[in-house]
Amino acid sequence: MHQDYFPPGIVVLTGAGISKESGIDTFRDPDGLWNRVNLEDVATLEGWHRDKKKVLDFYNEARGLFRAAQVAPNAAHDALARLEAKYGGDVTIVTQNIDPLHEMAGSKNVIHMHGREGEVRCMKCGTVFPSDADLSPQSVCPKCGTVGELRPNIVWFGEQPMHLDEIYAALDKCGLFIAIGTSGQVYPAAGFVLHVRRRPRVRTVELNLEPTENQPLFEEHIYGPATRIVPPYVERLLAEGWKPGGW
């Protein structure tokens, strides 16, 4: 390989499917999180203004269940952490998940586009800080002192995803785009594959439990549980490596 050749970046988009095998329900499961509650009540800004206690009680309970379950990263999370550690170029994980499983597995370059569990945001001053404490309408912002404006730092329905400028910057530099465990139905994430396809010589790969509506937009498809298909795919990438002009 030419000495001044640098491997192109890899962007990995992950969705709920990668964490399901760690015991975290996907939103669209028949018994999934959003089928147990009314979305408008607990996952919208309108619901927040209507009944803050109801919203906060829901997230307090969800966080408690997550902690009690002692959920751990699975083989797919571990494989992506290995990819970041061993690959010669940039690896960016863009996750739609709010769980910390990528970080727990050892991944460092992780962008949470829908926010993070274990973080709190003040609606008054915008300060974001880590916290595992339960929230209530009487909670006080440690930065500005406002009462009753602390909420989970999670993107609710109807709100803009986070870090989009950073995400598109990574997409614009990548040579390989991989989607893992995502339904391909929620925008803007569902449109990332189309964004990268506008550039020449960007490879697109779908690793999923089953085909999605976005299937025709990917050049390569591998289907099965994430713990079974992601580790061998990562090992293949590391074994074969990049060559100038493609794989």
Side-chain angles (χ1 to χ4, degrees):
M1 186 174 294
H2 196 275
Q3 64 178 1
D4 61 359
Y5 172 73
F6 296 96
I10 297 175
V11 173
V12 184
L13 172 67
T14 66
I18 197 171
S19 294
K20 181 174 174 59
E21 291 179 81
S22 288
I24 299 177
D25 289 338
T26 65
F27 290 165
R28 291 171 178 80
D29 281 345
D31 59 347
L33 183 64
W34 300 123
N35 286 312
R36 303 175 196 168
V37 294
N38 187 327
L39 283 179
E40 288 74 17
D41 288 344
V42 300
T44 64
L45 196 57
E46 292 77 15
W48 161 259
H49 287 305
R50 188 164 52 244
D51 192 340
K52 292 181 180 179
K53 185 179 187 304
K54 184 172 187 175
V55 172
L56 297 175
D57 285 349
F58 169 75
Y59 286 101
N60 290 339
E61 180 184 7
R63 186 173 58 254
L65 291 173
F66 179 84
R67 295 283 191 271
Q70 296 183 328
V71 176
N74 60 49
H77 296 104
D78 293 338
L80 292 179
R82 173 170 163 74
L83 178 64
E84 180 182 335
K86 299 297 184 181
Y87 179 62
D90 292 331
V91 177
T92 302
I93 295 176
V94 177
T95 186
Q96 297 170 282
N97 302 330
I98 64 171
D99 64 65
L101 295 181
H102 284 300
E103 290 89 344
M104 290 170 67
S107 293
K108 295 179 172 55
N109 192 18
V110 183
I111 302 173
H112 287 265
M113 64 182 296
H114 292 158
R116 286 192 60 177
E117 188 272 336
E119 288 185 347
V120 171
R121 174 166 25 119
C122 177
M123 293 286 281
K124 178 69 173 181
C125 68
T127 299
V128 175
F129 57 93
S131 175
D132 288 329
D134 283 354
L135 296 176
S136 77
Q138 288 74 47
S139 296
V140 180
C141 174
K143 177 72 172 181
C144 69
T146 301
V147 177
E149 292 297 329
L150 295 184
R151 57 169 276 187
N153 189 36
I154 295 171
V155 174
W156 288 330
F157 289 89
E159 294 184 314
Q160 180 85 341
M162 301 177 183
H163 314 298
L164 287 180
D165 288 346
E166 187 179 353
I167 291 169
Y168 282 111
L171 291 171
D172 287 340
K173 295 186 294 185
C174 78
L176 173 64
F177 175 76
I178 308 170
I180 302 174
T182 179
S183 67
Q185 297 178 13
V186 180
Y187 284 83
F192 290 167
V193 62
L194 245 149
H195 182 85
V196 299
R197 280 176 61 92
R198 295 192 182 104
R199 293 171 38 235
R201 303 164 81 183
V202 177
R203 186 162 182 79
T204 54
V205 182
E206 179 184 47
L207 306 179
N208 218 335
L209 186 61
E210 57 190 11
T212 66
E213 293 179 6
N214 272 353
Q215 181 194 32
L217 299 177
F218 291 90
E219 298 171 80
E220 184 177 357
H221 316 86
I222 302 175
Y223 299 118
T227 55
R228 181 168 62 81
I229 63 175
V230 175
Y233 184 77
V234 166
E235 291 308 309
R236 192 183 108 198
L237 294 188
L238 293 175
E240 296 179 1
W242 285 91
K243 300 177 179 65
W247 224 280

